[in-house]
């Protein structure tokens, strides 16, 4: 485990300019990827099969292009984003809402091992023994968007924690990309609403790469 202090030169440049940057970060894996071109892939925990497939495919294709995929290790869209990047032998960063002694959800401990084996990283602002408290997760969302160059929302309900990350991203001046969803599925209410508000609709990886690279 490494500890990266805000006052040190190796502190991620992208986090220096966000609201309430953490005084220190705990890290497992490769710290150099924190400064590489990256995109956060976020969405519902109760993801549809469509959402899972899209998250996996976009993560896979972005990772193949050398883009680091960032997410929060949650069930659903987050997990499939990490897995897509791993399958592509690419780099992905999982941002935790707990300490390393309490990986949450527990079933994703194997995903963490794969992330590190492929040269990715697990990061958190919480000390190793910190448990996954409910209030930690909205706070960690500012780091998911903060470490990224843009945010891709795959699925989000009308009132969703995913939208907290979108708000952070907009405050941080990050580009927000949206996958359009099935209008009969509640998981699409949040994403389709964001498109109506002017977020960029994307249907292929090239729609994102043209903005990032």
């Amino acid at each position: 485990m490494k500890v990266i202090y805000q006052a040190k030169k190796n502190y991620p440049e992208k986090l220096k300019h966000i609201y309430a940057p953490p005084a220190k970060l705990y890290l497992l894996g490769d710290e150099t990827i924190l400064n590489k071109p990256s995109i956060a892939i976020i969405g519902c925990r109760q993801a549809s099969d469509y959402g899972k497939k899209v998250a996996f495919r976009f993560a896979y294709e972005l990772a193949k292009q050398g883009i680091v995929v960032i997410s929060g290790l949650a069930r659903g869209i987050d997990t499939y984003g990490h897995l897509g990047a791993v399958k592509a032998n690419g780099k992905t960063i999982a941002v935790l809402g707990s300490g390393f002694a309490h990986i949450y959800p527990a079933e994703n401990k194997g995903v963490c091992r794969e992330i590190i084996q492929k040269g990715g990283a697990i990061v958190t602002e919480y000390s190793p023994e910190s448990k996954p408290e409910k209030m930690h997760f909205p706070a960690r969302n500012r780091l998911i968007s903060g470490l990224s160059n843009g945010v891709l929302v795959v699925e989000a309900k009308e009132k969703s924690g995913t939208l907290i990350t979108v708000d952070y991203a907009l405050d941080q001046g990050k580009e927000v990309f949206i996958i359009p969803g099935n209008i009969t599925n509640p998981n699409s209410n949040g994403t389709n609403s964001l498109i109506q508000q002017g977020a960029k609709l994307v249907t292929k990886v090239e729609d994102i790469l043209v903005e990032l690279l």
Side-chain angles (χ1 to χ4, degrees):
M1 183 185 76
K2 302 172 188 173
V3 183
I4 302 173
Y5 294 92
Q6 187 180 4
K8 299 294 186 180
K9 287 182 179 179
N10 63 340
Y11 192 82
E13 186 66 30
K14 295 172 194 169
L15 290 186
K16 292 178 182 177
H17 312 292
I18 71 167
Y19 169 76
K24 56 187 173 181
L25 283 176
Y26 299 89
L27 178 140
L28 296 171
D30 183 3
E31 69 178 281
T32 66
I33 66 171
L34 299 179
N35 292 309
K36 292 188 174 178
S38 59
I39 187 153
I41 296 181
I42 59 173
C44 289
R45 285 174 170 80
Q46 297 83 27
S48 68
D49 288 342
Y50 164 78
K52 293 172 184 176
K53 288 175 185 175
V54 169
F56 187 95
R57 191 187 94 196
F58 269 73
Y60 181 93
E61 293 182 11
L62 286 162
K64 282 290 187 186
Q65 294 294 324
I67 304 294
V68 176
V69 173
I70 301 174
S71 202
L73 200 71
R75 297 181 180 97
I77 298 301
D78 288 22
T79 295
Y80 280 82
H82 292 306
L83 291 175
V86 166
K87 183 69 172 178
N89 292 314
K91 315 295 185 190
T92 180
I93 299 169
V95 184
L96 305 184
S98 61
F100 294 138
H102 299 279
I103 300 294
Y104 182 85
E107 67 258 29
N108 275 351
K109 288 180 181 178
V111 178
C112 287
R113 286 192 291 271
E114 287 189 82
I115 288 171
I116 292 171
Q117 286 168 4
K118 298 291 184 180
I122 316 294
V123 299
T124 181
E125 63 182 312
Y126 301 107
S127 60
E129 295 301 325
S130 296
K131 294 183 178 179
E133 305 288 349
K134 188 174 181 181
M135 62 185 178
H136 289 177
F137 294 93
R140 69 92 196 264
N141 289 352
R142 81 192 192 287
L143 304 185
I144 292 174
S145 59
L147 285 167
S148 72
N149 295 103
V151 174
L152 173 65
V153 186
V154 178
E155 286 187 325
K157 294 179 180 177
E158 198 163 5
K159 293 181 179 179
S160 165
T162 299
L163 303 181
I164 296 172
T165 311
V166 171
D167 287 340
Y168 279 127
L170 293 171
D171 287 343
Q172 294 161 0
K174 305 296 173 70
E175 189 76 52
V176 176
F177 306 98
I178 309 293
I179 299 291
N182 182 338
I183 63 171
T184 66
N185 187 333
N187 284 3
S188 303
N189 290 348
T191 46
N192 290 347
S193 176
L194 288 168
I195 292 168
Q196 288 179 319
Q197 294 170 48
K200 182 168 181 176
L201 183 155
V202 300
T203 58
K204 56 186 184 298
V205 164
E206 289 74 18
D207 297 334
I208 297 171
L209 293 174
V210 72
E211 301 287 349
L212 290 189
L213 299 179

